[in-house]
């Protein structure tokens, strides 16, 4: 409503001023300040020269001279003084003379040049001259103009030039007397600026710079004859909004030459440096079609009507130009014209700050911002113009790129493809040509790859997008088969380059050099990697050579390891790939086997279904199986089946021997089933050469069998594997039973004679015979008695049951073999016996049994000493600490234990654990004896046998502290809840760690409230880890107080009890997760409540002392406020939270005097969390208006005041705390008067009611409308009004809210401001 009133008033005032003619006056402009502000937007380097050169180009000037003059030029000096200060600058061009309209525009700031063919748009470029001089002077043709200041206003004087003073060359001249002398410009950077500026000038071709009469620099641009560019039908020649249409395009070469005077700082020697670069400039002729509406808007904005035709140019520095051998003494002067590999810039006559996103410059009729450094993308019509022109820049850049690739394609066809021979190596000349063309193609790709343009990224994105969009075909790229469209070319893969010859592929150098660009194109789907279908196409087109086939199969293995290949694709591949086989070819699918050179007969006849070895020899077996799962390694069984069918096998000893050698090499790796099959093939063939001719195997003997001379012994040039020959049935010795029959008498035999014979034929004994000897009881034990009168043999034993007859074994009492003569452990007989199982050294198990009880002390000591002396050499690897032999003596020296039953730390004996004897503890680590019992054993011991006395407990706990780092989390949990801590020496009073605390003399709690313990510093550290605390945690304290509130209150008193409650309140967030404790606290009468009583009721209690009455629950009373006689005194009682009220209205407290929580915010939060309710929520108010509701001036005034101050009332109250928001309060609440209002209050918990009158209330009718009712009394009670509003609006009202709102409603706004209240800020923010 106020907003509408303000709008109406403003409109009326505007109309009044518009029709009043007496107040009219002209607006004055401070021209100096205006020009300064304009120049602030023209702050770029060399802006003066840029604007003057632009004007020269617009005036069709072909040459410019820039003369820097010093204060005292010397016409006779031979060397220019570059250190002299410049005092004035003369800028001259040979363009068209100024016309009258040109002179007129110089005097008007921001009028601009209406000629749409000219660059200037805003008419402020000329005023850049004022950045370096105060009063410029211009002469052109037959007239001149001077600028001068009068205070802050700029004036001009224009006059004709006398004929005798006119220049002969009629050049337009700008004379600039500098405001402050300046240093001579650096010709390197200034020359680079001039070269860059000449890049796209349409007429201006030559710039010369002088210092006084010395020529310092000359740059000349030469434009060669252009050639037309073909616009393919696939190109889209119209911009997206149809604003521009490309009609034609041409390409011309540009040559830039620079001559610079260089002066040595040391010798003052003068030398001239010449530089030269070559560029290509593409020009597109565009028809312009702008709607009348947009054209009018552009004319209003830029002071120019859009042209009907315009030109767009692109400057490109190709690879050949970059590699040209032109003079490059000072090529840095042209560096900004050669951006590669950096980005080019947008030129609007001269370069801007905006980059193009690729390595080329773009020049066109772009519309810049006022300072002409960036493109304007703010105004819609200008934004559309610039976007459309950028799309044509994308088209032109695509045409330049395609033209470059077309030239590369022609050269590639002539120099590479025409000379290519797939079977010949590329000659050096062709290789150089190919490398040069690949570098040129890579240069083009890099040049037109998108980079994020700056400062506006949209520029580069637009050009790049339309680079691709403006053609229906993919971009052209150089491939292995010349220039092709990108979608017909594949990304190179080094694993396929050997065998893919017909597929166009990107040269690897081109791909690697443009990988980032190619990855982007691959993601966009514009280029693909080599596919499986490409490979099949290659295989269908030709038969691969051996080298190509190997490379192709190598790729196939890698391909299958990376991708899931269907059975159909595998089948197609194997059927398509042809392998040369003799004079023909056959598909890979027709082969069954491949040869393993380690086992197979590589150089012998092979089955026809076997793959050529010269193809498979570079592959491992898993790789060949990966190529085709149907292929198998040619087994010796299959090969034998094939080879034994030949006639040479049984007729040629040499051939048979070669076959057997092949089988011998692979025999150990042949499965038993195959061995049997091979043997079944060979055992019936006469394939063993002997001195009696070719024999079947079972009729022959190995060469080592020399016992009888009439045996058919084998005759080989080189003996095949004995295992093969024996498997075929050949014999290697005479039967052992026959030897026994001939050499041993029936009955008793001499085991010494038998050992000697067996030693002589040991190498011929088969494993079966050796095992038979090991299992036969042949050997007697030394020392056993035999009856001499009978020929019966002695008791005999197998070899493994006896020991060698050495002195050590005999001294230990071990059973040794009977042996005649001296025993030598290195003899052949000893080696045979050891092979048959005779023990050379004591077995560990036997030795440890000897060391254990109840053997004699001497035997035990000797066995134990031998065990330790030889442990590292003989027993370390086989020893296991879990051995179940009790061979270790403990400290009592009357028994022994296993390694796992005793310990090395003597302190663990405190808990009754056995300790290893002291002299053996040095071997504890060696034997795997633990220093201490494990944590689970210690825990079990402590739980079963806890210490019964405090002294024993201290010792136990001190020991357990030393090993407490071994206990696990769950074991600490068990310790924390187990009663093992004795409280006395009776052993009957035990307590768990979580139920007691460490004794402290200065404990804040009474000593009878807590169970305390103290076993000394070391033992206490263990108990602390178990859970004994220094003092109760907040959770412990809450539990203790909730369970024994009277006890705590009795010992601590009211004030200390309050402190405890505060501590619980502070840590309530820690207690809340313990739901059982929180429920217990809600039910327990442990909270301290206050009840107001009058002086008579409190007479029994002292006003300054705290007492306790268990019968009535009265725990004390104290004076609430000594200065307020009406408040009375307070009694403290213990009660449940649900029986206690929280005071947010002291009036209600005084009326109903319930049990109340102390009025402390911290305690209130505790009581509320446990179930206490706010007293305002426990009292139900019932208002009864008496009389008629009326709208009066007083009610209107009050409503206006509430609406006005509504933002002040609700300030600081978040929406989450409000029932209604500001809009509702200012529009929905109605204020009415009523004669009388009666208020009835009911305290719900007790049902007590009180009645009284009030001056304000809020009621709601049956339609939901709220009314603020006030009584008809003269004086307005703002407290009642504020209280009624607060109850309605606030979800949780406090007394302070009502008091503060009373102040806001009753005080004037001026009064509130004076008190520092930010009235205006709050009201204006609404």
């Amino acid at each position: 409503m106020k907003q509408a009133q303000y709008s109406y008033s403003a409109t009326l005032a505007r109309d009044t001023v518009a029709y009043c003619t007496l107040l009219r006056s002209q607006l004055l402009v401070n021209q100096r300040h205006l020009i300064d502000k304009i120049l602030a937007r023209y702050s770029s380097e060399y802006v003066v020269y840029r604007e003057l050169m632009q004007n020269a180009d617009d005036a069709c000037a072909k040459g410019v001279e820039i003369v820097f003059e010093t204060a005292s030029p010397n016409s006779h000096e031979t060397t220019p003084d570059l250190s002299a200060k410049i005092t004035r600058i003369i800028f001259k061009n040979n363009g068209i003379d100024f016309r009258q309209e040109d002179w007129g525009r110089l005097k008007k700031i921001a009028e601009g040049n209406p000629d749409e063919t000219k660059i200037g748009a805003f008419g402020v470029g000329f005023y850049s001259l004022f950045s370096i001089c105060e009063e410029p002077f211009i002469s052109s043709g037959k007239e001149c103009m001077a600028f001068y200041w009068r205070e802050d206003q700029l004036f001009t004087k224009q006059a004709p030039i006398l004929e005798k003073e006119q220049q002969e060359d009629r050049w337009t001249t700008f004379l600039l007397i500098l405001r402050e002398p300046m240093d001579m410009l650096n010709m390197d950077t200034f020359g680079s600026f001039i070269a860059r500026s000449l890049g796209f000038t349409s007429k201006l071709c030559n710039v010369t710079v002088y210092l006084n009469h010395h020529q310092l620099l000359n740059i000349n641009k030469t434009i060669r004859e252009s050639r037309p560019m073909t616009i393919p039908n696939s190109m889209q020649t119209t911009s997206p909004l149809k604003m521009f249409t490309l009609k034609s395009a041409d390409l011309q070469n540009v040559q830039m030459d620079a001559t610079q005077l260089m002066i040595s700082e040391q010798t003052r020697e003068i030398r001239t440096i010449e530089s030269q670069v070559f560029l290509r400039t593409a020009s597109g002729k565009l028809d312009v079609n702008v709607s009348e509406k947009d054209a009018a808007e552009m004319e209003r904005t830029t002071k120019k009507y859009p042209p009907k035709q315009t030109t767009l140019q692109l400057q490109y520095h190709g690879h050949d130009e970059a590699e040209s051998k032109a003079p490059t003494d000072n090529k840095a002067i042209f560096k900004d014209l050669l951006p590669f590999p950096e980005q080019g810039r947008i030129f609007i006559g001269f370069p801007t700050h905006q980059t193009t996103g690729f390595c080329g410059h773009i020049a066109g009729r772009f519309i810049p911002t006022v300072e002409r450094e960036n493109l304007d993308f703010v105004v819609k019509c200008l934004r559309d113009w610039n976007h459309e022109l950028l799309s044509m820049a994308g088209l032109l850049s695509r045409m330049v790129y395609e033209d470059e690739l077309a030239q590369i394609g022609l050269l590639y066809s002539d120099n590479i493809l025409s000379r290519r021979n797939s079977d010949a190596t590329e000659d050096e000349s062709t290789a150089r040509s190919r490398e040069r063309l690949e570098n040129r193609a890579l240069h083009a790709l890099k040049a037109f790859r998108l980079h994020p343009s700056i400062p506006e990224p949209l520029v580069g994105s637009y050009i790049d997008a339309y680079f691709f969009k403006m053609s229906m075909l993919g971009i052209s790229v150089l491939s292995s088969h010349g220039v092709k469209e990108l979608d017909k070319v594949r990304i190179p893969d080094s694993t396929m380059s050997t065998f893919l010859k017909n597929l166009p592929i990107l040269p690897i150098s081109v791909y690697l050099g443009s990988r980032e660009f190619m990855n982007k194109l691959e993601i966009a789907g514009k280029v693909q990697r080599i596919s499986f279908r490409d490979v099949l196409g290659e295989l269908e087109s030709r038969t691969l050579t051996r080298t190509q086939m190997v490379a192709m199969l190598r790729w196939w293995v890698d391909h299958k390891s990376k991708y899931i290949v269907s059975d159909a694709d595998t089948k197609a591949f194997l059927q398509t790939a042809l392998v040369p086989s003799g004079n023909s070819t056959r598909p890979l699918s027709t082969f069954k086997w491949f040869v393993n050179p380690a086992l197979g007969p590589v150089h012998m006849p092979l089955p026809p279904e076997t793959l050529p070895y010269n193809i498979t020899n570079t592959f491992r077996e898993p790789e060949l199986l990966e190529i085709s799962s149907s292929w198998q390694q040619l087994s010796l069984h299959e090969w034998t089946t094939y080879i034994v069918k030949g006639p040479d096998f049984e007729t040629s000893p040499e051939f048979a021997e070669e076959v057997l050698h092949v089988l011998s090499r692979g025999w150990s790796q042949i499965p038993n089933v195959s061995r049997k099959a091979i043997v079944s093939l060979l055992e019936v063939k006469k394939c063993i050469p002997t001195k009696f001719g070719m024999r079947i195997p079972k009729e022959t003997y190995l060469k080592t069998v020399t016992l009888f001379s009439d045996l058919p012994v084998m005759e080989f040039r080189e003996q095949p594997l004995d295992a093969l020959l024996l498997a075929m049935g050949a014999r290697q010795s005479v039967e052992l039973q026959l030897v026994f029959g001939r050499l041993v008498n029936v009955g008793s035999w001499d085991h010494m004679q038998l050992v000697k014979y067996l030693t002589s034929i040991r190498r011929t004994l088969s494993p079966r015979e050796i095992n038979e000897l090991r299992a036969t009881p042949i050997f007697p034990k030394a020392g056993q008695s035999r009856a001499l009168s009978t020929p019966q043999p002695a008791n005999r034993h197998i070899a493994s049951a006896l020991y060698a007859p050495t002195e050590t074994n005999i001294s230990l009492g071990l059973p040794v073999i009977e042996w005649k003569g001296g025993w030598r452990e290195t003899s052949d007989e000893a080696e045979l016996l050891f092979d048959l199982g005779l023990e050379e050294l004591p077995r560990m198990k036997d030795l440890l049994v000897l060391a254990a009880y109840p053997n004699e002390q001497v035997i035990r000591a000797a066995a134990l000493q031998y065990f330790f002396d030889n442990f590292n050499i003989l027993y370390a690897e086989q020893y296991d600490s879990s051995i179940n032999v009790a061979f270790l003596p403990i400290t009592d020296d009357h028994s022994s234990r296993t390694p796992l039953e005793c310990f090395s730390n003597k302190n663990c004996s405190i808990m009754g654990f056995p300790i290893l004897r002291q002299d053996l503890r040095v071997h504890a680590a060696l034997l795997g004896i633990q220093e201490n019992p494990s944590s689970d054993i210690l825990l079990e011991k402590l739980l079963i046998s806890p210490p019964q006395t405090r002294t024993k407990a201290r010792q136990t706990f001190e020991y357990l502290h030393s090993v407490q780092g071994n206990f696990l989390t769950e074991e600490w949990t068990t310790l924390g809840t187990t009663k093992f801590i004795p409280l006395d020496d009776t052993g009957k009073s035990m307590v768990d760690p979580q139920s007691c605390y460490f004794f402290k003399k200065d404990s804040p709690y009474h000593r009878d409230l807590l169970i305390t313990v103290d076993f000394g510093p070391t033992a206490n550290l263990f108990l602390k880890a178990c859970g004994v605390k220094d003092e109760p945690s907040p959770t412990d304290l809450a539990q203790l107080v909730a369970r024994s509130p009277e006890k705590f209150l009795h010992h601590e008193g009211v004030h200390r009890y309050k402190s405890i409650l505060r501590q619980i309140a502070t840590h309530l967030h820690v207690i809340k997760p313990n739901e059982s404790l929180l429920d217990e606290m809600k039910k327990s009468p442990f909270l301290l409540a206050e009840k107001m009583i009058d002086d008579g009721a409190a007479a029994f209690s002292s006003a300054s002392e705290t007492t306790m009455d268990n019968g009535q629950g009265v725990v004390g009373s104290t004076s609430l406020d000594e200065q307020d006689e009406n408040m009375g005194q307070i009694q403290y009682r213990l009660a449940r939270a649900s029986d206690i009220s929280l005071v947010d209205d002291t009036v209600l407290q005084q009326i109903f005097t319930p049990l109340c929580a102390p009025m402390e915010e911290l305690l209130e939060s505790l009581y509320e969390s446990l179930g206490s309710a706010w007293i305002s929520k426990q009292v139900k108010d019932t208002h009864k208006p008496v009389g008629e509701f009326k709208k009066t001036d007083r009610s209107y005034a009050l409503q206006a005041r509430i609406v006005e101050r509504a933002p002040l009332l609700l300030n600081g109250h978040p929406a989450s705390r409000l029932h209604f928001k500001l809009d509702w309060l200012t529009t929905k609440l109605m204020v009415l008067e009523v004669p009388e209002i009666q208020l009835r209050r009911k305290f719900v918990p007790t049902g007590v009611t009180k009645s009284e009158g009030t001056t304000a209330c809020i009621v709601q009718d049956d339609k939901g409308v709220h009314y603020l009712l006030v009584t008809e009394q003269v004086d307005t009670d703002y407290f009642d009004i504020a209280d009624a509003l607060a109850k309605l609006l606030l979800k949780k009202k406090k007394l302070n809210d009502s008091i503060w709102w009373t102040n806001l409603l009753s005080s004037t706004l001026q009064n509130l401001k004076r008190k520092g209240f930010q009235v205006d800020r709050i009201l204006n923010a609404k």
Side-chain angles (χ1 to χ4, degrees), residues 240-241 356 377 383-384 386-395 397 450 453 456-470:
L241 299 181
T356 60
F377 291 110
R383 179 174 67 247
D384 290 345
N386 286 332
H387 283 178
E388 289 286 278
L389 201 51
L390 287 172
S391 70
M392 302 308 287
L395 170 61
S397 61
L450 173 67
S453 61
E456 177 54 67
L458 186 64
V459 171
S461 299
Y462 244 70
I463 294 175
D464 182 69
Y466 287 99
F467 177 86
F468 292 100
K469 287 182 180 179
M470 297 304 258

Side-chain angles (χ1 to χ4, degrees), residues 575-833:
Q575 290 179 345
T576 306
L578 301 178
V579 178
S581 178
N583 296 326
S584 63
T585 59
R586 58 188 300 170
L588 283 175
S589 59
T590 61
F591 291 96
K592 295 172 59 177
W593 296 303
F594 56 86
V595 180
N596 182 349
L599 303 175
V602 176
H603 303 296
M604 295 191 73
L606 297 171
E609 296 88 358
T610 307
L611 282 158
Y613 178 67
N614 63 352
I615 291 178
T616 62
N617 62 353
T618 61
F619 293 90
R620 294 180 292 110
E621 181 177 345
E623 294 174 331
L624 292 170
L625 296 177
E626 184 67 25
I627 295 172
S628 174
S629 58
S630 64
W631 290 354
Q632 298 179 15
Q633 177 180 312
L634 179 61
S635 67
L636 290 177
H637 175 210
E638 295 289 349
W639 178 73
T640 304
T641 302
Y642 170 76
I643 207 71
V644 297
K645 296 177 182 178
D648 294 339
F649 186 61
E650 292 187 280
T651 59
S652 171
E654 293 80 9
F655 186 79
E657 181 177 345
E658 184 64 26
V659 171
L660 294 177
H661 278 301
V662 171
L663 293 174
S664 295
R665 287 196 297 272
W667 189 253
S668 62
Q669 300 182 39
I670 300 175
N672 289 333
V673 175
S674 297
R675 287 184 183 183
K676 292 179 181 178
I678 293 173
V679 168
S680 66
L681 292 171
L682 298 179
E683 64 185 359
V684 297
K685 298 289 183 179
K686 294 181 179 181
C687 56
I688 306 297
T690 71
K691 60 183 178 180
F692 301 112
M694 300 289 281
R695 298 287 186 92
I696 60 176
K698 66 181 181 180
E699 297 175 353
T700 63
Y701 288 86
L702 300 182
K703 288 183 178 181
T704 56
V705 179
T706 58
L707 188 59
F708 305 105
S709 61
D710 57 348
L711 297 177
V713 178
M714 302 176 182
E715 289 185 342
F716 288 108
R717 293 170 298 176
E718 183 179 348
Q719 179 82 4
L721 185 69
D722 288 352
L724 170 63
L725 298 172
L726 294 174
M728 292 166 62
R731 304 178 183 182
Q732 64 176 344
S733 64
V734 182
E735 261 189 55
L736 193 60
Q737 294 299 327
L738 180 60
V739 174
F740 285 165
R742 292 185 180 183
L743 300 180
V744 180
N745 295 325
V746 177
S748 177
W749 68 80
D750 187 350
H751 69 281
M752 298 291 291
Q753 183 179 0
L754 179 60
V755 168
K756 289 181 180 179
Y757 168 71
L758 293 175
T759 301
S760 66
I761 64 168
R762 180 181 177 187
R763 293 184 179 179
T764 65
L765 295 175
S766 67
R768 179 182 59 78
E769 292 170 330
I770 291 292
N771 289 333
E772 184 179 349
L773 290 172
R774 288 172 180 165
T776 304
I778 300 173
F779 309 103
K781 180 174 70 173
Q784 68 182 13
S785 59
R786 283 188 286 178
L788 301 178
S789 59
T790 63
Q792 295 297 324
N795 291 331
R796 300 183 182 272
H797 307 269
I798 60 176
S800 60
L802 302 174
Y803 283 90
T806 63
E807 183 178 350
T808 298
N809 293 337
I810 295 172
S811 65
L812 289 173
L814 295 170
V816 298
I817 190 172
E818 181 180 303
W819 195 256
K820 299 174 182 178
W823 169 263
R824 289 187 304 108
E825 60 185 14
T826 59
S827 65
D828 294 339
E829 291 82 356
E831 289 184 5
L832 173 65
L833 289 172

Side-chain angles (χ1 to χ4, degrees), residues 56-94:
D57 193 50
D58 285 346
C60 299
K62 295 188 177 297
V64 161
E65 291 183 357
I66 305 173
V67 183
F68 295 94
E69 293 187 350
T70 59
S72 303
N74 184 354
S75 60
H76 300 291
E77 64 179 359
T78 57
T79 302
D81 184 5
L82 299 180
S83 64
K85 294 290 186 180
I86 307 302
T87 59
R88 72 175 192 169
I89 301 172
I90 299 174
F91 185 96
K92 301 169 64 178
N93 72 72
N94 59 2

